[in-house]
Amino acid sequence: MNEIEKKADIIIIGGGVNGCSLAYQLAKKGKKVVLCERNYICSGATGRCGAGIRQQWSTRENTELSIKSIKIFEKLEKELGQDIGLRQGGYLIIVHNNKDMIQAEKNVKMQKELGLDVSILTPDEILDVVSILDIEGMKAIGATFCPTDGHVDPFKTTHAYAKAAERQGAKLYKFTNVTDIKTKNKRIDCVVTNRGKIKTNIVINAAGAWSKQIAEKLNIKLPNKPFRKEILVTERVKPVFKAMVISFKDGIYFSQQDEGQILGGIPIPNEISGYLTNPTFDFLNHMSKTLTRYSPKLKYVNVIRQWTGYYDVTPDARPILGEVDEIKGFIQCNGFSGHGFMLSPMVTKILTDYITDGKSSDILEKLLIKRFKDKEITHETSVVG
Ligand SMILES: Cc1cc2nc3c(=O)[nH]c(=O)nc-3n(C[C@H](O)[C@H](O)[C@H](O)COP(=O)(O)OP(=O)(O)OC[C@H]3O[C@@H](n4cnc5c(N)ncnc54)[C@H](O)[C@@H]3O)c2cc1C
């Protein structure tokens, strides 16, 4: 392996979508950036995710972040000079009872105030969007639908960011494990890796489900917990729908790829936190039964593969961003709780503005780790998987 740099303005830990997007944006602003990834680019949650992108959330912060992120995704292919596989077929969120409809109406009102094109559909209108659904099987009384939600290819996007970052002068070191972080006078001093030390005053912790361990090296306790999440893909069948179908009550999400495969996931009941990697029969069983209840026509479609990845889950299902109070220059970009791909464009822009211009924002202030000291925290309730 080649010698590594001895000094950098900023060191990013983690070569997922967030780390690579940060590397690109910070290098573009003239910073000397080093990214350390202990495996290969996309080896964490990014390379295992569904990569659905939606703007329909219950909290203002997530809604605002995702509306702005999708606007960035829409221009990203041009900016990075590479296809990112963006497809906007909408998200159809199934509502099953009157209580959940009240929450859905509240969400839609807030989303519309933020300028989102979103509407509430009747059961008949649901079938206009995805004709193979079974209204009775799903026990649906309606749905919400946003046509500009969709899907992006996580590999194409992350590698496009990585290549663009390198063109801007960033160094992306694969198979480079961060083993320690040293401080001097409560300020970041250097990062220790299996390939040597790198001096720096700024470290960004974008290590996904391993961010907690990174923070522990500096005696900072993150409340994040890793959860195994499973996902499957079927054989190709004739493409018949474009929207992502999801249900907060059942936890299921599924969509059809342009090539015809159905891709989707669901949480298995009573999953406990931990670094488990084995795929389970419980998942396959639960997913198949729920999926074919939603669409009996899919009964004859074969599953060809299932795999696992981790959600990095915070107590309020919202990310942890920004600098910690205890150590100058230690910046968090983690805790995405299963929606870190879709929020990445805006989250990394906010952090880049903070690092390069010292510019904070309302959203950044609300997502600092210190919010967990407050008596009441605002939970994101629109979550699946
Ligand atoms: C099954 C599944 C489905 C999902 N579906 C969606 C979806 O539809 N939409 C969505 O927006 N999100 C989804 N997510 C969540 C999404 O994948 C993540 O939130 C997002 O990819 C996080 O990206 P990241 O760059 O922050 O972290 P990661 O991609 O996890 O990258 C972190 C990297 O840090 C590296 N690392 C860890 N420790 C060290 C160390 N000591 N030194 C060096 N490197 C280190 C790891 O190897 C890893 O590559 C899903 C996740 C899963 C598992």
Side-chain angles (χ1 to χ4, degrees), residues 56 89-93 117-121 129 143-147 149 243:
Q56 302 179 68
Y91 255 66
L92 186 67
I93 303 180
D117 173 12
V118 55
S119 47
I120 296 185
L121 307 187
V129 181
T144 66
F145 183 64
C146 169
D149 289 345

Side-chain angles (χ1 to χ4, degrees), residues 13-20 36-53 91 176-179 206-211 214 217 227 229-231 244 253 307-312 333-334 336-343:
I13 308 175
V17 68
N18 283 296
C20 292
C36 298
E37 164 53 55
R38 69 176 169 192
N39 290 315
Y40 50 89
I41 301 298
C42 283
S43 57
T46 299
R48 292 150 191 271
C49 76
I53 53 171
Y91 255 66
T176 305
N177 189 16
V178 172
T179 53
W210 301 273
S211 296
I214 296 290
K217 296 182 193 305
F227 279 89
K229 294 291 165 181
E230 299 185 59
I231 181 166
M244 174 83 89
Y253 66 92
W307 66 94
T308 65
Y310 300 119
Y311 279 12
D312 178 34
C333 178
N334 51 60
F336 287 101
S337 307
H339 31 274
F341 186 86
M342 61 183 94
L343 301 184

